[in-house]
């Protein structure tokens, strides 16, 4: 054990360099609209940190594996001030995976309701963005945006950690006003669905 | 064999008639009388249930004779939608029977537990896969949890959304102070309608869905589906594809076990192991990506062969990885072994008895930690494993610690397997232009029925498929190992403290998605 700690101390960091950060990255990941909605007020409220609540709304668990990888020493998400929290009440961001199964739609809505404003929703993975291979099933409600409003879509099956990191960093940098604050009508729609 | 006991095929020939064109294991059609005889035979200990599934107006059960390893499928037509329940003699089929009822409206008469399972009343349709699906449930009904009464008992409901980055499911603890008296699971939250989605697709399309039954076992599920389709068509993939598939399957096993060992230790508040193990896991995933083009190896195993071959230098990368893990893994195992604070949490926690493990036919680390050594790579066995040297580690303690050790030993075995395979992998004959084609067959468009048993990192997967005459999937039933492991978690936690639940749960690592379909 001591030997191990010694090698760890002398061996230099294993952490990978952060992915390139520019608004272009964000523009690639979401519609240009979000990238343009830079808002100083939100930035002040958040400072330079984000708390994320991950919600599995029906994923195959592949996305979860890569979200877990964000926390490993190689990607080390916490060095950017981004961390995962255990309750939606502590979260700024909901990171949602899966094609939203009908059995999970209600739980997802309630989690969204429990998250304080300002809040962002990031759809993680092809399933969350479009329904993926599960689109059209009797058991799936559809992509995340059909249940709650979505601010950012990270495609991929699953999105590799570098892409997840680029997306979350872009979100942190831009601190755009969340969709829920900008378009209450969309948010209300999401809420009032049966 | 004792006098008066039938080996599997003796019983089959008494109760049923073989069906043509079911490969590689035979399928028998039986009558309600034969079904009753079968049910009596299941009361003994010689047979285990490998799978149970429905289709419109029929149920099927796959059986294994434990001593000989023989496998067969029995089918019972149920035109009126009723059949005699097997759950009283075989508790492992309780949830599978409830599922057949939810999806096909097939009612198990005399069932131990008639409550719905996957159907939470939200689908907007009932019995969605029956010949004639029913109307939406009138009102989503309250799910009646099992009653627990007694002085000082209180209930703790948890989920479906949990605190960590984890799949959704609901757990209802009944505790007396800190001690758990009963745990009841309610799953089905991630039911995506996979069996319904696969029907009507070409094997290639359906394979993309099979790869997403459980993302952590994507290679194993893809392999089970591919082999079932190949069995149905009576074709064999090129030898090199068989070996490449096995390399991927073992890399998947290594990556998952490394991740699990770290995560279990983390749940015992030993974060150091999580950091180190996740670094090792990451090394495996990066090699997967560099060599096969996907970190989790999704869609790499396809019906007829593989979708990628090793690039130049790919074999070397994999051998270097093996060497790296061999160098960095043992010191970490030594830390696990010598940390009293860690052992204190894992030894004697969450024990499952060998009796239960056998009764449920549970495999993988859950079975092997409690004395059940069944491994599909050995029995019935499949290529190329019959050609390779490896051991199947079996322990008997049945606790969290034993499940960690099974994983540790399996990592070592898989490293050796990968090395053997890379060194001995057959090449591909060059075609007339001197190029080496991808080891993959074109599949004929024809009908047939096939089944495959594949060992995933979690245990045995059974996939059964029926192809229509035009070669599309008529019906596919993939049975994840979790079906027979989740119920044992309910037993394992009894008498433990609530705080040890995460540890027990992680040491099982049942798949929610694979189970819910
Ligand atoms: S996007 Fe892909 S990896 Fe993520 S949940 Fe969907 S199928 Fe699984």
């Amino acid at each position: 054990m001591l030997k191990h700690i010694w090698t760890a101390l002398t061996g230099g960091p294993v952490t990978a360099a952060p992915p390139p950060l520019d608004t272009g990255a964000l523009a690639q990941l979401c519609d240009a609209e979000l990238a343009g909605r830079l808002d100083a007020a939100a930035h002040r409220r958040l400072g330079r940190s984000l708390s994320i609540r991950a919600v599995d709304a029906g994923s195959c668990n592949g996305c979860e594996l890569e979200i877990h990888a964000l926390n490993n020493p190689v990607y080390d998400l916490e060095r950017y001030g981004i961390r995962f929290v255990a309750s939606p009440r502590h979260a700024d961001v909901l990171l949602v995976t899966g094609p939203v199964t009908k059995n999970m739609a209600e739980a997802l809505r309630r989690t969204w309701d429990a998250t304080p404003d300002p809040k962002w929703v990031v759809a993680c993975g092809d399933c969350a963005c479009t329904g993926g291979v599960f689109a059209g099933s009797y058991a799936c409600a559809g992509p995340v945006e059909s249940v709650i409003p979505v601010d950012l879509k990270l495609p991929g099956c699953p999105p590799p950690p570098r892409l997840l990191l680029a997306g979350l960093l872009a979100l942190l940098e831009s601190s755009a006003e969340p969709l829920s604050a900008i378009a209450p009508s969309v948010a209300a729609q999401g809420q009032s669905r049966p | 064999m004792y006098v008066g006991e039938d080996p599997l095929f003796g019983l089959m020939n008494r109760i049923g008639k073989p069906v043509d064109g079911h490969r590689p294991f035979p399928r028998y059609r039986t009558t309600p009388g034969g079904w009753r005889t079968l049910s009596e035979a299941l009361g003994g200990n010689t047979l285990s249930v490998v799978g149970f599934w429905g289709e419109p107006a029929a149920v099927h059960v796959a059986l294994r004779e434990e001593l000989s390893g023989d496998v067969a499928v029995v089918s019972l037509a149920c035109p009126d939608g009723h059949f005699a329940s097997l759950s009283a003699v075989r508790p492992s089929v309780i949830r599978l029977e409830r599922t057949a009822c939810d999806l096909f409206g097939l009612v198990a008469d005399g069932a131990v537990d008639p409550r719905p399972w996957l159907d939470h009343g939200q689908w907007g349709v009932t019995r969605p896969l029956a010949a004639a699906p029913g109307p939406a449930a009138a009102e989503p009904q309250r799910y009646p949890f099992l009653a627990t009464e007694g002085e000082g008992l209180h209930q703790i409901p948890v989920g479906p959304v949990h605190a960590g980055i984890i799949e959704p499911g609901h757990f209802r603890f009944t505790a007396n102070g800190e001690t758990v008296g009963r745990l009841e699971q309610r799953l089905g939250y991630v039911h995506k309608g996979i069996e319904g989605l696969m029907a009507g697709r070409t094997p290639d399309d359906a394979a993309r869905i099979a790869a997403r039954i459980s993302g952590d076992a994507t290679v194993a599920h893809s392999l089970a589906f591919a082999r079932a389709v190949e069995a149905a068509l009576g074709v064999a993939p090129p030898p090199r594809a068989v070996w490449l598939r096995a390399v991927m399957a073992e890399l998947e096993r290594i990556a998952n076990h490394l991740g699990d060992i770290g995560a279990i230790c983390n749940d015992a508040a030993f974060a150091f192991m999580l950091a180190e193990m996740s670094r090792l896991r990451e090394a495996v995933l990066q090699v997967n990506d560099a060599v096969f083009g996907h970190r989790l190896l999704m869609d790499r195993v396809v019906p007829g062969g593989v979708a990628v071959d090793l690039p130049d230098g790919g074999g070397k990368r994999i051998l270097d990885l093996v060497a790296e893990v061999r160098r960095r893994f043992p010191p970490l195992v030594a830390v696990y072994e010598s940390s009293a604070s860690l052992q204190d949490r894992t030894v004697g926690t969450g024990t499952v008895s060998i009796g239960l493990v056998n009764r449920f036919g549970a495999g993988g680390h859950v079975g092997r930690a409690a004395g059940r050594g069944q491994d599909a790579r050995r029995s019935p066995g499949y290529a190329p494993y019959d050609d390779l040297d490896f051991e199947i580690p079996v322990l008997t303690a049945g606790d969290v610690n034993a499940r960690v050790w099974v994983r540790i030993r399996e990592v070592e075995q898989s490293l050796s397997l990968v090395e053997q395979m890379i060194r001995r992998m057959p090449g591909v004959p060059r075609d007339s232009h001197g190029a080496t084609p991808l080891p993959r067959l074109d599949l004929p468009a024809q009908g047939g029925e096939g089944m495959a048993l594949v060992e995933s990192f979690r245990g045995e997967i059974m996939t059964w498929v029926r192809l229509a005459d035009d070669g599309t999937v008529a019906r596919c039933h993939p049975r994840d190992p979790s079906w027979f492991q989740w119920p044992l978690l309910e037993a394992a936690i009894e008498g433990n403290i609530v705080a040890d639940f995460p540890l027990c749960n992680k040491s099982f690592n049942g798949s929610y998605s694979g189970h819910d379909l």
Side-chain angles (χ1 to χ4, degrees):
Chain A
M1 182 92 185
L2 283 177
K3 190 172 150 234
H4 205 102
I5 294 173
W6 177 247
T7 356
L9 287 174
T10 53
V14 294
T15 315
L21 225 199
D22 51 63
T23 27
L26 181 60
Q28 273 170 18
L29 293 170
C30 59
D31 46 37
E33 201 196 337
L34 174 71
R37 274 190 272 120
L38 296 163
D39 181 71
H43 199 213
R44 270 202 307 279
R45 273 197 294 270
L46 284 171
R48 281 181 48 87
S49 80
L50 274 186
S51 295
I52 304 176
R53 175 65 250 221
V55 184
D56 179 340
S59 103
C60 76
N61 80 30
C63 281
E64 274 60 37
L65 293 176
E66 294 297 52
I67 295 174
H68 269 292
L70 283 176
N71 277 326
N72 74 23
V74 178
Y75 300 104
D76 190 21
L77 191 66
E78 291 214 10
R79 72 184 139 144
Y80 306 103
I82 305 179
R83 61 195 185 111
F84 287 94
V85 292
S87 163
R89 299 192 198 282
H90 304 157
D92 309 305
V93 174
L94 292 183
L95 183 64
V96 188
T97 61
V100 191
T101 62
K102 289 190 180 162
N103 288 350
M104 271 307 285
E106 178 62 31
L108 176 60
R109 247 176 251 130
R110 288 198 203 176
T111 308
W112 192 82
D113 284 343
T115 313
D117 279 319
K119 56 189 165 196
W120 286 260
V121 177
V122 178
C124 169
D126 288 351
C127 287
C129 296
T130 65
V133 300
F134 305 110
S137 166
Y138 65 85
C140 295
V144 175
E145 64 189 357
S146 66
V147 180
I148 56 173
V150 168
D151 294 285
L152 181 62
K153 293 180 187 170
L154 302 175
C157 186
R162 277 183 69 82
L163 179 86
L164 292 175
L165 202 49
L168 293 174
L169 287 180
L171 187 70
L172 185 62
E173 288 292 299
S174 77
S175 291
E177 189 76 354
L179 201 54
S180 48
I182 288 199
S185 57
V186 182
Q189 248 177 32
Q191 261 173 314
S192 65
R193 257 162 206 283
Chain B
M1 207 54 45
Y2 300 105
V3 181
E5 268 183 46
D6 262 330
L8 183 65
F9 294 122
L11 174 69
M12 290 301 117
N13 288 323
R14 266 201 293 136
I15 66 168
K17 298 239 167 351
V19 177
D20 280 346
H22 187 278
R23 283 177 291 254
F25 314 108
R27 178 162 86 86
Y28 295 81
R29 249 187 222 113
T30 191
T31 57
W35 190 260
R36 269 196 302 279
T37 312
L38 173 70
S39 167
E40 281 159 25
L42 281 176
N45 284 327
T46 52
L47 299 176
S48 64
V49 172
V50 180
F52 177 97
W53 64 101
E55 61 178 326
V59 287
H60 308 275
V61 58
L63 305 159
R64 167 186 281 122
E65 209 260 318
E66 289 280 343
L67 268 182
S68 62
D70 289 338
V71 176
V73 178
V74 183
S75 310
L76 174 70
C78 18
D80 58 350
H82 285 258
F83 64 97
S85 169
L86 301 177
S87 57
V89 286
R90 263 319 143 140
S92 61
V93 300
I94 293 177
R95 292 176 178 185
L96 290 159
E97 284 185 351
R98 291 165 73 183
T99 298
C101 186
D102 288 351
L103 300 183
F104 295 95
L106 297 164
V107 179
D109 293 325
V112 173
D113 189 346
R115 292 174 297 171
W117 181 237
L118 298 181
D119 187 351
H120 294 192
Q122 305 283 346
W123 296 338
V125 56
T126 50
R127 25 176 231 277
L129 303 185
E139 266 293 294
Q141 288 178 356
R142 277 187 79 82
Y143 185 79
F145 282 92
L146 300 177
T148 34
E149 284 166 20
E151 204 166 330
L153 292 182
H154 58 281
Q155 284 201 340
I156 312 170
V158 181
V161 178
H162 302 289
I165 304 165
I166 175 176
E167 300 179 74
H170 183 85
F171 299 99
R172 186 67 61 106
F173 298 91
T174 306
N176 190 342
E178 264 287 89
T179 310
V180 180
R182 166 181 264 166
L183 163 65
E184 189 181 350
Q185 298 155 0
R186 190 186 186 201
L187 303 180
Y189 289 94
V190 274
H191 176 71
K192 296 180 270 291
I194 283 175
E195 295 186 1
L197 283 168
M198 286 173 113
R201 310 217 178 197
T202 62
D204 278 355
D205 284 350
R208 289 183 53 79
I209 299 171
R212 288 158 180 79
I213 291 167
S214 184
D216 48 12
T218 176
V219 175
H221 269 291
S222 299
L223 180 57
F225 178 74
R227 286 188 48 223
V229 167
E230 288 153 11
L233 296 171
V235 297
R240 186 173 169 85
V242 171
W243 286 69
L244 282 168
R245 287 169 168 192
V247 170
M248 295 188 217
E250 295 308 319
L251 287 170
E252 178 175 273
R253 191 182 320 275
I254 294 168
N256 282 312
H257 281 338
L258 290 173
D260 279 359
I261 296 168
I264 295 168
C265 295
N266 191 50
D267 277 342
F270 208 84
F272 164 83
M273 286 288 277
L274 177 66
E276 292 291 336
M277 287 294 170
S278 57
R279 250 182 85 193
L280 273 183
R281 177 184 154 88
E282 179 67 24
V284 179
L285 300 192
Q286 289 187 357
V287 169
N288 284 349
D289 196 22
V291 174
F292 295 113
H294 193 283
R295 286 165 53 89
L296 304 180
L297 303 170
M298 236 170 222
D299 302 323
R300 267 44 195 173
V301 173
V302 290
V306 288
V308 284
D309 202 336
L310 281 177
D312 287 342
K316 168 94 174 36
R317 283 284 309 249
I318 295 177
L319 290 179
D320 288 349
L321 172 76
V322 169
E324 185 188 347
V325 178
R326 279 207 176 124
R327 187 165 45 77
R328 284 167 50 191
F329 187 57
L332 296 169
V333 173
V335 171
Y336 174 78
E337 208 174 359
S338 59
S339 300
S341 64
L342 199 46
Q343 300 273 311
D344 181 50
R345 296 289 305 280
T346 58
V347 176
T349 306
T351 307
V352 189
S353 71
I354 180 160
L356 268 184
V357 159
N358 279 334
R359 201 80 191 125
F360 277 75
H365 40 261
V366 175
R368 290 204 262 286
R372 186 167 194 272
Q374 165 62 31
D375 188 311
R377 293 173 296 177
R378 272 278 158 71
S379 168
Y382 49 96
Y385 293 99
D386 31 18
D387 216 4
L388 296 162
D389 273 342
F390 68 109
E391 279 169 21
I392 294 155
V394 180
L395 299 172
T396 51
D399 56 0
V400 173
N401 181 50
R403 288 188 282 278
V404 171
W405 275 107
V406 167
R407 286 174 164 96
I408 292 172
R409 294 283 171 250
E410 286 195 6
V411 168
E412 294 161 1
Q413 292 299 317
S414 294
L415 289 171
S416 147
L417 279 169
V418 169
E419 191 175 28
Q420 293 175 51
M421 289 189 282
I422 294 292
R423 296 203 190 285
R424 295 180 41 203
M425 175 140 346
V428 194
R430 288 175 193 278
D431 64 11
S432 51
H433 309 290
T436 48
L438 197 63
R440 181 174 183 182
L441 284 181
D442 281 334
L443 297 178
Q446 66 189 49
E449 290 180 343
M451 178 172 153
L453 294 167
V454 164
E455 192 71 16
S456 75
F457 83 99
R458 190 176 266 130
E460 182 181 72
I461 292 171
M462 183 212 82
T463 296
W464 182 85
V465 71
R466 174 185 292 142
L467 300 177
D469 289 338
D470 62 354
T472 58
V473 175
R475 172 95 181 90
C476 176
H477 172 74
R479 199 268 306 139
D480 192 84
S482 311
W483 279 101
F484 300 148
Q485 296 171 342
W486 273 118
L488 299 185
L489 179 60
E490 293 185 339
I493 189 69
E494 246 178 70
N496 288 257
I497 57 172
V498 178
D500 276 342
F501 178 68
L503 204 56
C504 296
N505 191 19
K506 192 50 76 43
S507 75
F508 271 68
N509 189 12
S511 170
Y512 297 70
S513 180
H515 167 285
D516 291 351
L517 285 170

